[in-house]
Amino acid sequence: MKLFPIFADLQGRRVLVVGGGSVAARKVRALQEAGAEVRVGAPDLEPELAGQAADGRIVHVPGRFEASWLDDAWLVVAATDDREVNAAVDAAARERRIFCNVVDDAELSSFQVPAIVDRSPLVLAISSSGVAPVLARRLRERLESLLDHALGPLAELAARHRPRIRAALPDLGQRRRFYDWLLDGPVAGWLRQQQPAQAEAELQQALDRGWPQQPGSVVLVGAGPGDPGLLTLKALRALNEADVILHDRLASADVLALARRDADRISVGKLPGENHDATQARIHALMAEHARVGRRVVRLKGGDAFIFGRGGEELEFLREQGIRYEVVPGITAALACAAYAGIPLTHRDHAQSVRLVTAHCRQDEDTLDWDGLARSHQTLAFYMGVGQLERLAERLVAHGRAPDTPFALVENGSRPEQRVVAGKLADMAALARTHQVHAPALLIVGEVAGLADKLHWFGSTAG
Ligand code: SAH
């Protein structure tokens, strides 16, 4: 190891920053976050630093660098664009045995500032010993997206209760299990839900009365339309922590590939023609079975769980069973298909509202408000509609929508094989037949669909 990692306590300690430009300002901010008393030595200060000096938050030492500026300093940071000045700072610091960082100059520096992921009081510092800062930054980005923001408050809570935890659980093994429970169970859940008081109460109760050994839970995760880049950070984290993943057919292989490797994957997709209620009952049973034995279950659904995904029913079931759950929204097909086909769902000139509609079967169609749907200047996004294009077009036109209203059918939206078939409502069924459009496909009807021709940017456009 070339460098020895340390975390320095700078509370109330004087640190000198040499340089008055934007790089210096950035360093000053970081030092202030750690509570340092910062002096800035430079002929002139950039506006932010000048403001800080005027408010007395930093002390400005004007002029060119002098070794005496280092008096009483614990650390020094040289952030000028003049290598000679930086070298002089470094030399003076060495003489006084004060650690010196020269920004972006590993050779002159006697200490380096790592890339950090801040979940205070938990802080991760990453160093490449100055040889590959880009790599360190990349790693930081990865960790930043993996580590939940609730970790900070969780560490803080645990620190506050540490004496009580030690007293209540003198055995080390028992304490470990408690901390596992703290990280994986309801306390972390409450913090993720921004409920610190509940988290604290849960922890207190666990110390007083013991905690359940099986903190199983279900996270209902929206997997988006297929492009794994459209997953949320929370979805990625849930996939990383899952013991079991119950996934739909629509959850893409690329998304599943991001999940924890040793998680059990169970496909619970509904097939056309299958008894959907039986499948749904099986999904409920699987969720309960795995959560009850303490597993973290991810129920992964295409798009968003609450848009034609029966997510509501699954939550009602979990609530009845007293199983803890969280919901992570996903990008629903209408949003993704529109974006990836270059169709703004609303547009000041063309559409003032959007409706998400299911047109699965005749029964669905009969309950729809066709007069409302046929009005102009609104966008309709039909889910599960490929099988009924003929009837959909007929009904819309019969209720007054213009036969030349633009439509776009987006097949496999956001996936590499995406295709868009666009045209006028009157020709829709024929065009879809010609191009053999298959599920999953989303139908967008409305003036905005006409923009696809001009604004498309992704994949191929047929018709
Ligand atoms: N919960 C999902 C919708 C499930 S219903 C969501 O929020 O997106 C299934 C229907 O969604 C399909 O019949 C199709 O109309 C649409 N759909 C889902 N993924 C799609 C994709 N990648 N491309 C086009 N349509 C898609």
Side-chain angles (χ1 to χ4, degrees), residues 224-226 250 301-309 330-334 336-337 382-386 410-415 439-443:
L250 275 178
K301 287 165 172 287
D304 180 83
F306 285 175
I307 304 285
F308 309 127
I331 295 194
T332 189
C337 292
F382 285 98
Y383 288 69
M384 299 175 272
V386 232
V410 185
E411 182 191 72
N412 282 307
S414 88
R415 301 174 184 218
L442 186 100
L443 167 63

Side-chain angles (χ1 to χ4, degrees), residues 155-346:
E156 191 270 331
L157 185 70
R160 227 164 353 98
H161 288 271
R162 200 161 147 207
R164 279 201 63 204
I165 296 171
R166 274 176 168 267
L169 308 165
D171 175 66
L172 182 65
Q174 213 183 6
R175 218 151 55 225
R176 268 210 197 114
R177 282 192 296 281
F178 179 78
Y179 281 114
D180 280 341
W181 173 81
L182 208 58
L183 279 169
D184 299 332
V187 175
W190 287 122
L191 289 173
R192 276 196 297 274
Q193 293 161 40
Q194 310 284 342
Q195 306 260 24
Q198 294 275 27
E200 182 124 24
E202 189 89 37
L203 185 148
Q204 300 267 17
Q205 210 180 57
L207 286 177
D208 294 342
R209 288 187 236 144
W211 68 95
Q213 302 293 316
Q214 285 147 4
S217 63
V218 176
V219 193
L220 207 59
V221 176
D227 177 351
L230 295 180
L231 274 183
T232 62
L233 294 179
K234 282 205 163 187
L236 186 63
R237 279 178 208 137
L239 286 170
N240 265 300
E241 289 168 6
D243 297 312
V244 187
I245 300 168
L246 304 177
H247 62 90
D248 281 357
R249 244 175 351 114
L250 275 178
S252 80
D254 291 343
V255 167
L256 278 169
L258 296 173
R260 208 178 113 200
R261 259 156 228 257
D262 47 1
D264 289 337
R265 290 137 205 251
I266 305 175
S267 171
V268 293
K270 299 185 188 92
L271 294 167
E274 206 182 20
N275 179 340
H276 286 193
D277 290 330
T279 318
Q280 193 63 41
R282 180 172 159 249
I283 294 170
H284 289 186
L286 281 168
M287 290 194 299
E289 175 192 326
H290 290 285
R292 288 244 172 70
V293 293
R295 300 219 171 98
R296 279 166 299 198
V297 179
V298 164
R299 171 74 182 102
L300 189 67
K301 287 165 172 287
D304 180 83
F306 285 175
I307 304 285
F308 309 127
R310 301 185 77 160
E313 290 165 53
E314 291 177 14
L315 289 200
E316 279 167 327
F317 169 78
L318 293 170
R319 173 70 75 182
E320 262 166 37
Q321 301 289 313
I323 296 168
R324 226 163 37 81
Y325 59 78
E326 291 177 36
V327 183
V328 178
I331 295 194
T332 189
L335 299 185
C337 292
Y340 278 59
I343 300 171
L345 288 173
T346 69

